[in-house]
Coordinates of all heavy atoms in Angstrom, one line a residue:
M27 N 19.8 2.3 -6.2 CA 18.8 2.9 -5.4 C 18.2 1.9 -4.5 O 17.9 0.8 -4.9 CB 17.7 3.5 -6.3 CG 16.6 4.2 -5.7 SD 15.6 5.0 -6.9 CE 14.0 5.0 -6.1
S28 N 18.0 2.2 -3.2 CA 17.5 1.3 -2.3 C 16.0 1.4 -2.2 O 15.4 2.5 -2.5 CB 18.1 1.5 -0.9 OG 17.7 2.8 -0.4
T29 N 15.3 0.3 -1.8 CA 13.9 0.3 -1.7 C 13.5 0.9 -0.4 O 14.1 0.6 0.7 CB 13.4 -1.1 -1.8 OG1 13.8 -1.7 -3.0 CG2 11.9 -1.2 -1.7
P30 N 12.5 1.8 -0.4 CA 12.0 2.4 0.9 C 11.5 1.3 1.8 O 11.0 0.3 1.4 CB 10.9 3.3 0.5 CG 11.0 3.5 -0.9 CD 11.7 2.3 -1.5
P31 N 11.7 1.4 3.2 CA 11.2 0.4 4.1 C 9.7 0.4 4.1 O 9.0 1.4 3.8 CB 11.7 0.9 5.4 CG 12.0 2.3 5.3 CD 12.3 2.6 3.8
F32 N 9.1 -0.8 4.3 CA 7.7 -1.0 4.3 C 7.3 -1.4 5.7 O 7.8 -2.3 6.3 CB 7.3 -2.1 3.3 CG 5.8 -2.4 3.4 CD1 4.9 -1.5 3.0 CD2 5.4 -3.6 3.9 CE1 3.5 -1.8 3.0 CE2 4.1 -4.0 4.0 CZ 3.1 -3.0 3.6
S33 N 6.2 -0.8 6.3 CA 5.7 -1.2 7.6 C 4.2 -1.6 7.4 O 3.4 -0.8 7.0 CB 5.7 0.0 8.5 OG 4.9 -0.3 9.7
P34 N 4.0 -2.9 7.6 CA 2.6 -3.4 7.5 C 1.6 -2.7 8.4 O 0.5 -2.3 8.0 CB 2.7 -4.9 8.0 CG 4.1 -5.3 7.7 CD 4.9 -4.0 8.0
V35 N 2.1 -2.3 9.6 CA 1.2 -1.6 10.6 C 0.9 -0.2 10.0 O -0.3 0.2 10.1 CB 1.9 -1.5 12.0 CG1 1.1 -0.6 12.9 CG2 2.0 -2.9 12.6
E36 N 1.9 0.5 9.6 CA 1.6 1.8 9.0 C 0.8 1.8 7.8 O -0.1 2.7 7.6 CB 3.0 2.5 8.8 CG 3.7 2.9 10.1 CD 5.0 3.6 9.8 OE1 5.2 4.2 8.7 OE2 5.8 3.5 10.7
A37 N 0.9 0.8 7.0 CA 0.1 0.7 5.8 C -1.4 0.5 6.1 O -2.2 1.1 5.6 CB 0.6 -0.5 4.9
R38 N -1.6 -0.4 7.1 CA -3.0 -0.6 7.5 C -3.6 0.6 8.1 O -4.7 1.0 7.9 CB -3.1 -1.8 8.5 CG -4.5 -2.1 8.9 CD -4.5 -3.4 9.8 NE -5.9 -3.8 10.0 CZ -6.7 -3.3 10.9 NH1 -6.3 -2.3 11.7 NH2 -7.9 -3.8 11.0
E39 N -2.8 1.3 9.0 CA -3.3 2.5 9.7 C -3.6 3.6 8.6 O -4.5 4.3 8.8 CB -2.3 3.0 10.7 CG -2.2 2.1 11.9 CD -1.1 2.5 12.9 OE1 -0.3 3.4 12.6 OE2 -1.1 1.8 14.0
A40 N -2.7 3.7 7.6 CA -3.0 4.7 6.6 C -4.3 4.4 5.8 O -5.0 5.3 5.5 CB -1.8 4.8 5.6
R41 N -4.5 3.2 5.5 CA -5.7 2.8 4.8 C -6.9 3.1 5.7 O -7.9 3.7 5.2 CB -5.7 1.3 4.5 CG -7.0 0.8 3.8 CD -6.9 -0.6 3.4 NE -6.8 -1.5 4.5 CZ -7.8 -1.9 5.4 NH1 -9.0 -1.4 5.2 NH2 -7.6 -2.8 6.3
L42 N -6.9 2.8 6.9 CA -8.0 3.1 7.8 C -8.2 4.6 8.0 O -9.4 5.0 8.1 CB -7.8 2.4 9.2 CG -7.8 0.8 9.1 CD1 -7.4 0.3 10.5 CD2 -9.1 0.3 8.6
R43 N -7.1 5.4 8.1 CA -7.3 6.8 8.2 C -8.0 7.4 7.0 O -8.7 8.3 7.1 CB -5.9 7.5 8.3 CG -5.4 7.6 9.7 CD -4.2 8.6 9.8 NE -3.2 8.3 8.8 CZ -2.1 7.5 9.0 NH1 -2.0 6.8 10.1 NH2 -1.2 7.3 8.0
M44 N -7.7 6.8 5.8 CA -8.4 7.2 4.6 C -9.8 6.7 4.5 O -10.5 7.1 3.6 CB -7.6 6.7 3.4 CG -6.2 7.4 3.2 SD -6.3 9.1 2.8 CE -7.1 9.1 1.2
G45 N -10.2 5.8 5.4 CA -11.5 5.2 5.3 C -11.8 4.3 4.2 O -12.9 4.2 3.7
M46 N -10.7 3.7 3.7 CA -10.7 2.8 2.5 C -10.8 1.3 2.9 O -10.2 0.9 3.9 CB -9.5 3.0 1.6 CG -9.5 4.4 1.0 SD -8.0 4.7 0.1 CE -8.3 3.8 -1.4
T47 N -11.5 0.6 2.1 CA -11.4 -0.9 2.2 C -10.2 -1.4 1.4 O -9.7 -0.7 0.6 CB -12.7 -1.6 1.7 OG1 -12.8 -1.3 0.3 CG2 -14.0 -1.0 2.4
I48 N -9.9 -2.6 1.7 CA -8.8 -3.2 0.9 C -9.2 -3.2 -0.6 O -8.4 -2.9 -1.5 CB -8.5 -4.6 1.4 CG1 -7.8 -4.5 2.7 CG2 -7.6 -5.4 0.3 CD1 -7.4 -5.9 3.4
E49 N -10.4 -3.5 -0.9 CA -10.9 -3.5 -2.3 C -10.8 -2.1 -3.0 O -10.4 -2.0 -4.1 CB -12.3 -4.0 -2.4 CG -12.5 -5.5 -2.1 CD -12.4 -5.8 -0.6 OE1 -12.5 -4.9 0.3 OE2 -12.3 -7.0 -0.3
Q50 N -11.0 -1.1 -2.2 CA -10.8 0.3 -2.7 C -9.4 0.6 -3.0 O -9.0 1.3 -4.0 CB -11.4 1.3 -1.7 CG -12.9 1.3 -1.7 CD -13.5 2.1 -0.6 OE1 -13.0 2.1 0.5 NE2 -14.6 2.8 -0.9
V51 N -8.5 0.1 -2.1 CA -7.1 0.3 -2.3 C -6.6 -0.4 -3.6 O -5.9 0.1 -4.5 CB -6.2 -0.2 -1.1 CG1 -4.7 -0.2 -1.5 CG2 -6.5 0.6 0.1
V52 N -7.1 -1.6 -3.8 CA -6.8 -2.4 -5.0 C -7.3 -1.6 -6.3 O -6.6 -1.5 -7.3 CB -7.4 -3.8 -4.9 CG1 -7.4 -4.5 -6.3 CG2 -6.7 -4.6 -3.9
G53 N -8.5 -1.1 -6.2 CA -9.1 -0.3 -7.3 C -8.2 0.9 -7.6 O -8.0 1.2 -8.8
A54 N -7.8 1.6 -6.6 CA -7.0 2.8 -6.7 C -5.6 2.5 -7.4 O -5.1 3.2 -8.2 CB -6.8 3.5 -5.4
M55 N -5.1 1.4 -6.9 CA -3.8 0.9 -7.5 C -4.0 0.5 -8.9 O -3.1 0.7 -9.8 CB -3.2 -0.2 -6.6 CG -2.7 0.3 -5.3 SD -2.0 -1.0 -4.2 CE -0.5 -1.3 -5.0
A56 N -5.1 -0.1 -9.3 CA -5.3 -0.6 -10.6 C -5.4 0.6 -11.6 O -4.9 0.6 -12.7 CB -6.6 -1.4 -10.7
R57 N -6.0 1.7 -11.1 CA -6.1 3.0 -11.9 C -4.7 3.5 -12.1 O -4.5 4.3 -13.1 CB -7.0 4.0 -11.2 CG -8.5 3.6 -11.3 CD -9.4 4.7 -10.8 NE -9.3 4.9 -9.4 CZ -10.0 4.2 -8.5 NH1 -10.7 3.1 -8.8 NH2 -9.9 4.5 -7.2
L58 N -3.7 3.2 -11.3 CA -2.3 3.6 -11.5 C -1.5 2.6 -12.3 O -0.4 2.7 -12.5 CB -1.7 3.8 -10.1 CG -2.3 4.9 -9.2 CD1 -1.8 4.8 -7.8 CD2 -2.0 6.2 -9.8
G59 N -2.2 1.5 -12.8 CA -1.6 0.5 -13.6 C -1.0 -0.6 -12.9 O -0.2 -1.4 -13.5
V60 N -1.3 -0.7 -11.6 CA -0.7 -1.9 -10.8 C -1.9 -2.7 -10.4 O -2.7 -2.4 -9.5 CB 0.0 -1.3 -9.5 CG1 0.5 -2.5 -8.7 CG2 1.2 -0.4 -10.0
N61 N -2.0 -3.9 -11.0 CA -3.2 -4.8 -10.8 C -2.7 -5.9 -9.9 O -1.7 -6.5 -10.1 CB -3.6 -5.4 -12.1 CG -4.2 -4.3 -13.0 OD1 -5.1 -3.6 -12.7 ND2 -3.6 -4.1 -14.2
L62 N -3.5 -6.1 -8.8 CA -3.3 -7.2 -7.9 C -4.5 -7.6 -7.2 O -5.6 -7.0 -7.4 CB -2.2 -6.7 -6.9 CG -2.3 -5.3 -6.4 CD1 -3.2 -5.2 -5.2 CD2 -0.9 -4.8 -6.0
S63 N -4.5 -8.6 -6.4 CA -5.7 -9.1 -5.7 C -5.8 -8.5 -4.3 O -4.8 -8.1 -3.7 CB -5.6 -10.6 -5.6 OG -4.6 -11.0 -4.6
P64 N -7.0 -8.4 -3.8 CA -7.2 -8.0 -2.4 C -6.4 -8.8 -1.4 O -5.9 -8.3 -0.4 CB -8.7 -8.1 -2.2 CG -9.3 -8.0 -3.5 CD -8.3 -8.7 -4.5
G65 N -6.3 -10.1 -1.7 CA -5.5 -11.0 -0.8 C -4.1 -10.6 -0.7 O -3.5 -10.8 0.4
L66 N -3.5 -10.0 -1.7 CA -2.1 -9.6 -1.6 C -2.0 -8.4 -0.7 O -1.1 -8.4 0.1 CB -1.6 -9.3 -3.0 CG -0.1 -9.0 -3.1 CD1 0.8 -10.0 -2.5 CD2 0.3 -8.7 -4.5
V67 N -2.9 -7.5 -0.9 CA -2.8 -6.3 0.0 C -3.0 -6.7 1.5 O -2.4 -6.2 2.4 CB -3.9 -5.2 -0.4 CG1 -3.9 -4.1 0.6 CG2 -3.6 -4.7 -1.8
E68 N -3.9 -7.6 1.7 CA -4.2 -8.1 3.0 C -2.9 -8.8 3.6 O -2.5 -8.6 4.7 CB -5.3 -9.1 3.1 CG -5.7 -9.6 4.4 CD -6.9 -10.5 4.5 OE1 -7.3 -11.1 3.4 OE2 -7.4 -10.7 5.6
A69 N -2.2 -9.6 2.7 CA -0.9 -10.2 3.1 C 0.1 -9.2 3.5 O 0.9 -9.4 4.5 CB -0.4 -11.1 2.0
W70 N 0.1 -8.1 2.8 CA 1.1 -7.0 3.1 C 0.8 -6.5 4.5 O 1.6 -6.3 5.4 CB 1.0 -5.8 2.2 CG 1.4 -6.1 0.8 CD1 2.1 -7.2 0.3 CD2 1.1 -5.3 -0.4 NE1 2.3 -7.1 -1.1 CE2 1.6 -6.0 -1.5 CE3 0.3 -4.1 -0.6 CZ2 1.5 -5.5 -2.8 CZ3 0.2 -3.6 -1.9 CH2 0.8 -4.3 -3.0
E71 N -0.5 -6.2 4.8 CA -0.9 -5.6 6.1 C -0.7 -6.6 7.2 O -0.5 -6.2 8.4 CB -2.4 -5.2 6.0 CG -2.7 -4.0 5.2 CD -4.1 -3.5 5.3 OE1 -4.9 -4.1 6.0 OE2 -4.4 -2.5 4.6
L72 N -0.7 -7.9 7.0 CA -0.4 -8.9 8.0 C 1.0 -9.2 8.1 O 1.4 -10.0 9.0 CB -1.2 -10.2 7.6 CG -2.7 -10.1 7.7 CD1 -3.4 -11.4 7.2 CD2 -3.2 -9.8 9.1
G73 N 1.9 -8.6 7.3 CA 3.3 -8.8 7.3 C 3.7 -10.2 6.7 O 4.8 -10.6 7.0
E74 N 2.8 -10.8 6.0 CA 3.1 -12.1 5.4 C 3.9 -11.9 4.1 O 4.6 -12.9 3.6 CB 1.8 -12.8 5.1 CG 1.1 -13.2 6.4 CD -0.3 -13.8 6.1 OE1 -0.7 -13.8 4.9 OE2 -0.9 -14.2 7.1
S75 N 3.9 -10.8 3.5 CA 4.7 -10.5 2.3 C 4.9 -9.0 2.2 O 4.3 -8.2 3.0 CB 4.1 -11.0 1.0 OG 2.9 -10.3 0.7
A76 N 5.7 -8.5 1.3 CA 5.9 -7.1 1.2 C 5.8 -6.7 -0.3 O 6.1 -7.5 -1.2 CB 7.3 -6.7 1.7
P77 N 5.3 -5.5 -0.5 CA 5.2 -5.0 -1.9 C 6.5 -4.8 -2.6 O 7.5 -4.5 -1.9 CB 4.4 -3.7 -1.8 CG 4.7 -3.2 -0.4 CD 4.9 -4.4 0.4
S78 N 6.5 -5.0 -3.9 CA 7.7 -4.7 -4.7 C 7.8 -3.2 -4.7 O 6.9 -2.4 -4.2 CB 7.5 -5.2 -6.1 OG 6.5 -4.4 -6.8
E79 N 8.9 -2.6 -5.2 CA 9.1 -1.2 -5.3 C 8.0 -0.5 -6.0 O 7.4 0.5 -5.5 CB 10.5 -0.9 -5.9 CG 10.8 0.6 -5.8 CD 12.2 0.9 -6.3 OE1 12.9 0.0 -6.8 OE2 12.6 2.1 -6.1
I80 N 7.6 -1.0 -7.2 CA 6.6 -0.4 -8.0 C 5.2 -0.5 -7.2 O 4.5 0.5 -7.2 CB 6.4 -1.1 -9.4 CG1 7.7 -0.7 -10.2 CG2 5.1 -0.7 -10.1 CD1 7.8 -1.5 -11.5
Q81 N 4.9 -1.6 -6.6 CA 3.7 -1.7 -5.8 C 3.7 -0.8 -4.6 O 2.7 -0.2 -4.3 CB 3.5 -3.2 -5.3 CG 3.3 -4.2 -6.4 CD 3.4 -5.6 -6.0 OE1 4.1 -5.9 -5.0 NE2 2.7 -6.5 -6.6
L82 N 4.8 -0.6 -4.0 CA 4.9 0.3 -2.8 C 4.7 1.7 -3.2 O 3.9 2.4 -2.5 CB 6.3 0.1 -2.2 CG 6.5 1.0 -0.9 CD1 5.5 0.7 0.1 CD2 8.0 0.8 -0.4
F83 N 5.2 2.2 -4.3 CA 5.0 3.5 -4.8 C 3.5 3.7 -5.1 O 2.9 4.8 -4.8 CB 5.9 3.9 -6.0 CG 7.3 4.3 -5.6 CD1 8.3 3.3 -5.6 CD2 7.5 5.6 -5.2 CE1 9.6 3.7 -5.2 CE2 8.8 5.9 -4.8 CZ 9.8 5.0 -4.8
A84 N 2.9 2.7 -5.8 CA 1.5 2.8 -6.1 C 0.6 2.8 -4.8 O -0.4 3.5 -4.7 CB 1.1 1.7 -7.0
L85 N 1.0 2.0 -3.9 CA 0.2 1.9 -2.6 C 0.3 3.3 -1.9 O -0.7 3.8 -1.4 CB 0.8 0.8 -1.7 CG 0.2 0.7 -0.3 CD1 -1.3 0.3 -0.4 CD2 1.0 -0.3 0.5
A86 N 1.5 3.9 -1.9 CA 1.7 5.2 -1.2 C 0.8 6.2 -1.9 O 0.2 7.0 -1.3 CB 3.1 5.6 -1.2
D87 N 0.8 6.2 -3.2 CA 0.0 7.1 -4.0 C -1.5 6.9 -3.7 O -2.3 7.9 -3.5 CB 0.3 7.0 -5.5 CG -0.2 8.2 -6.3 OD1 -0.2 9.3 -5.8 OD2 -0.7 7.9 -7.4
A88 N -1.9 5.7 -3.7 CA -3.3 5.4 -3.5 C -3.8 5.8 -2.1 O -4.9 6.2 -1.9 CB -3.6 3.9 -3.6
L89 N -2.9 5.7 -1.1 CA -3.2 6.1 0.3 C -2.8 7.5 0.6 O -2.8 7.9 1.8 CB -2.5 5.1 1.3 CG -3.0 3.7 1.2 CD1 -2.2 2.8 2.1 CD2 -4.5 3.6 1.5
W90 N -2.3 8.3 -0.4 CA -1.8 9.7 -0.2 C -0.8 9.7 0.9 O -0.8 10.6 1.8 CB -3.0 10.6 0.2 CG -4.0 10.8 -0.9 CD1 -4.7 9.8 -1.5 CD2 -4.3 12.0 -1.6 NE1 -5.5 10.4 -2.5 CE2 -5.3 11.7 -2.5 CE3 -3.9 13.3 -1.4 CZ2 -5.8 12.7 -3.4 CZ3 -4.4 14.3 -2.2 CH2 -5.4 14.0 -3.2
C91 N 0.2 8.8 0.8 CA 1.3 8.8 1.8 C 2.6 9.2 1.2 O 2.8 8.9 0.0 CB 1.5 7.4 2.4 SG 0.1 6.9 3.4
R92 N 3.5 9.7 1.9 CA 4.8 10.0 1.5 C 5.7 8.9 1.9 O 5.7 8.4 3.0 CB 5.3 11.3 2.1 CG 6.7 11.7 1.6 CD 7.3 12.9 2.4 NE 6.3 14.0 2.6 CZ 6.7 15.1 3.1 NH1 7.9 15.4 3.4 NH2 5.8 16.1 3.2
L93 N 6.6 8.5 1.0 CA 7.6 7.4 1.3 C 8.7 8.1 2.0 O 9.2 9.1 1.6 CB 8.1 6.7 0.1 CG 7.0 5.9 -0.6 CD1 7.6 5.3 -1.9 CD2 6.5 4.7 0.2
Q94 N 9.2 7.4 3.1 CA 10.3 7.9 3.8 C 11.5 6.9 3.7 O 11.3 5.8 3.9 CB 10.0 8.1 5.3 CG 8.9 9.1 5.5 CD 8.5 9.3 7.0 OE1 9.2 8.8 7.8 NE2 7.4 9.9 7.2
Y95 N 12.6 7.4 3.3 CA 13.8 6.6 3.1 C 14.6 6.6 4.3 O 14.7 7.4 5.1 CB 14.6 7.1 1.9 CG 14.0 6.9 0.6 CD1 13.0 7.8 0.1 CD2 14.3 5.7 -0.1 CE1 12.4 7.5 -1.1 CE2 13.6 5.5 -1.4 CZ 12.7 6.4 -1.8 OH 12.1 6.2 -3.1

């Protein structure tokens, strides 16, 4: 199984559309069992790193986004 592509720009835009702060995204992901720091989410949005597959699925769920393969 291949990992869905990740777009830092689309991730940031989705978060802003939801009116969420990075800290709120981290909290939503923690409720899904994926614990991470706000700095990591910021690094994703800046394109400095990319989420793992599990993190990506949790991020999509937290932001109410559908993953596109």
Side-chain angles (χ1 to χ4, degrees):
M27 181 170 155
S28 64
T29 301
F32 174 71
S33 168
V35 172
E36 289 180 25
R38 183 174 191 280
E39 288 174 354
R41 178 179 62 78
L42 294 174
R43 271 194 311 272
M44 293 293 295
M46 297 174 76
T47 65
I48 288 177
E49 290 76 13
Q50 289 170 320
V51 171
V52 168
M55 292 179 70
R57 287 188 292 280
L58 296 167
V60 178
N61 297 299
L62 40 87
S63 71
L66 183 56
V67 175
E68 184 176 17
W70 295 343
E71 289 186 0
L72 294 172
E74 295 172 352
S75 68
S78 69
E79 186 173 7
I80 290 171
Q81 292 169 332
L82 181 58
F83 279 96
L85 178 63
D87 194 37
L89 297 175
W90 292 62
C91 293
R92 182 188 315 188
L93 293 176
Q94 298 180 12
Y95 290 85

